[in-house]
Amino acid sequence: MAEKQGIGLALVAFGVYIVGGLGTFGGIALIFFMKNKDLWGWGEGRSIGYLSLCVGLCLSILGVLLMRLFRNRGIA
C-alpha cells in the first residue's frame, strides 16, 4: 500500500511541475505576442501573461520541492 501511495504522490508532484512549466512558457508567449490585444474579454494579453508567468514559476518550484521532499523522506 505504501508503494502505491508513494507513486501517486510522485505523479502528483511531477504533474504540478509540468503544469507550472506550461504556465511559465505560456505566460512568456502571451507577454511577447499579445501586446495591447484583448484576451477573450479577460484583459490585456500581456498582463495575463505576467500573471501566468508568476503562477507557473511558483508551481514549478512547488513541484520540485515536493519531488525532493517525497524522495528524501522515503515516501516515494
Side-chain angles (χ1 to χ4, degrees), residues 14-68:
F14 194 61
V16 169
Y17 176 70
I18 294 295
V19 168
L22 290 173
T24 300
F25 287 111
I28 291 172
L30 285 174
I31 290 169
F32 286 121
F33 297 127
M34 295 295 286
K35 288 183 182 176
N36 301 321
K37 294 181 184 174
D38 188 44
L39 186 68
W40 303 309
W42 293 353
E44 185 186 1
R46 189 171 57 183
S47 62
I48 304 286
Y50 283 123
L51 176 67
S52 179
L53 175 69
C54 293
V55 170
L57 286 174
C58 289
L59 286 176
S60 291
I61 291 168
L62 178 67
V64 169
L65 289 175
L66 287 174
M67 284 189 274
R68 297 288 298 176

